[in-house]
Amino acid sequence: MTPAPWFVGIDVSKAQLDIALRPEGRFVVPNDETGRAHVVAPAGPPGCVDRLGGDRWSRAATHRGARRGGVACRGCQSSTEVRDFAKATGRLAKTDPLDAQILAHFADVIRPVPRPLPDEQMQALAALLARRRQLIEMLTAEKNRLGSAPHLVHKRLNAHITWLEREVTQAERVLAHAIGESPIWREKDDLLRTVPGVGPGLARTLIVDLPELGALSRKQIAALVGVAPLNRDSGTLRGRRIVWGGRAHVRAALYMAALVGSRCNPVIRSFYQRLCDAGKAKKVALTACMRKLLTILNAMMKHWTRWSTNEIVCP
């Protein structure tokens, strides 16, 4: 007889984990190795727990705790969806214990689609990619400050910029080495980079932050990234379609690739030009190019086919 599933909501802070069990129960453990080791102990048999998380402290807690207990992760929803669910159920107050209860209730009612936990190698690669993004953000900020800063601080700014540039180069070298060490990552990287306009930045972002690429339909992958136009209609009103939500890091990398592709990729360039000639705003046309490029990459990964000017359409 299959045991009834338990649903676990974990609100993660730097110091502790507030854990709510559904149908009933709650407890608190410290957010350290000892606490994470006991996360799944009271939650029933392995494989019966639905686990939700999402903030920056949740990865270590949920991933390590779930792996030690053999628990299948059933989804990490965005904080916006969970917060909207709390408002819909009349829970307007916000504390760590209440948030844990809402997460467990959300898992019980919504039953999010299962998502596999990344292994340790993928987590390490994700950390390297995130560090590279942080370095580039700091580098951009320092270069912007250099233009308006007093001459007195130019020397220190230039020194910091030089250091950051070395760190970015080192981070990219480590990323390239990590991908080269894994045959499957190396093959994916080589496949994606056959597309004109797709460089190492987008390829690595897709490998790390979009593991669903090639496993979903074109509409599903566009919605997941946040480049699918969403309706805003009510009654006889037909609102303007907009893109919203999705995975911001993937979308940012895809934007730059689409921008380059609109100049050097023959398929994307002709598509972009056709939309502009039809009167579409350039920003709208570029967003459509992002969606088209993502559709092509999704189809290539699904069929494991290298780039060709003959478009592949993923159903």
Side-chain angles (χ1 to χ4, degrees):
M1 181 177 178
T2 304
W6 285 66
F7 299 91
V8 180
I10 306 177
D11 186 85
V12 186
S13 62
K14 186 175 182 179
Q16 67 182 36
L17 310 176
D18 287 88
I19 301 168
L21 307 178
R22 194 172 177 89
E24 59 181 354
R26 62 176 298 269
F27 62 100
V28 178
V29 297
N31 190 2
D32 55 22
E33 291 293 337
T34 303
R36 295 178 202 128
H38 294 287
V39 164
V40 296
C48 298
V49 180
D50 281 52
R51 187 175 303 283
L52 297 179
D55 61 36
R56 61 182 177 144
W57 303 111
S58 69
R59 292 194 185 109
T62 56
H63 289 181
R64 294 178 195 175
R67 286 196 180 282
R68 287 190 179 188
V71 176
C73 181
R74 291 296 182 94
C76 295
Q77 300 298 119
S78 72
S79 58
T80 302
E81 291 177 335
V82 178
R83 197 66 232 155
D84 288 344
F85 176 83
K87 293 176 182 177
T89 55
R91 305 290 290 272
L92 303 182
K94 189 180 187 307
T95 65
D96 290 348
L98 284 177
D99 285 348
Q101 292 173 24
I102 288 295
L103 286 166
H105 191 191
F106 180 93
D108 189 5
V109 174
I110 303 301
R111 304 293 177 98
V113 178
R115 288 181 57 192
L117 289 170
D119 57 26
E120 292 184 3
Q121 281 185 312
M122 182 60 77
Q123 291 181 50
L125 189 65
L128 286 171
L129 191 63
R131 181 55 183 163
R132 178 185 176 275
R133 281 196 297 263
Q134 293 163 1
L135 289 168
I136 289 176
E137 288 173 2
M138 288 188 285
L139 181 59
T140 302
E142 290 291 70
K143 286 182 176 179
N144 290 339
R145 293 186 188 103
L146 189 62
S148 57
H151 184 72
L152 185 65
V153 298
H154 274 205
K155 183 178 179 179
R156 300 313 309 155
L157 281 171
N158 282 320
H160 194 206
I161 287 171
T162 301
W163 182 84
L164 287 170
E165 288 173 342
R166 285 200 303 266
E167 286 295 302
V168 170
T169 302
Q170 178 63 18
E172 290 176 344
R173 187 179 298 117
V174 174
L175 271 169
H177 176 74
I179 289 178
E181 287 290 299
S182 168
I184 185 64
W185 292 347
R186 186 169 62 248
E187 287 185 37
K188 287 183 177 181
D189 185 66
D190 292 341
L191 181 67
L192 292 169
R193 290 175 63 177
T194 61
V195 180
V198 176
L202 177 60
R204 293 164 186 169
T205 300
L206 293 176
I207 291 170
V208 175
D209 293 331
L210 196 63
E212 300 88 350
L213 190 68
L216 302 178
S217 71
R218 58 188 177 86
K219 291 183 178 180
Q220 290 172 328
I221 202 72
L224 186 62
V225 174
V227 293
L230 303 177
N231 296 355
R232 297 183 65 87
D233 301 338
S234 179
T236 59
L237 174 66
R238 294 294 178 266
R240 184 179 182 183
R241 273 52 174 167
I242 61 171
V243 296
W244 182 84
R247 299 183 183 176
H249 294 316
V250 177
R251 197 165 53 251
L254 193 62
Y255 173 84
M256 295 307 300
L259 183 63
V260 174
S262 66
R263 300 169 185 172
C264 70
N265 186 311
V267 174
I268 301 300
R269 183 176 64 238
S270 62
F271 181 65
Y272 177 77
Q273 193 59 52
R274 187 164 68 249
L275 291 175
C276 291
D277 293 342
K280 299 292 184 182
K282 291 186 176 180
K283 212 72 166 181
V284 173
L286 197 56
T287 302
C289 289
M290 292 167 62
R291 186 166 60 253
K292 187 173 186 68
L293 178 59
L294 181 63
T295 299
I296 293 172
L297 294 171
N298 189 57
M300 288 172 58
M301 289 295 294
K302 180 176 184 178
H303 301 290
W304 210 252
T305 305
R306 298 175 73 83
W307 163 256
S308 171
T309 52
N310 298 320
E311 298 177 46
I312 306 169
V313 177
C314 186

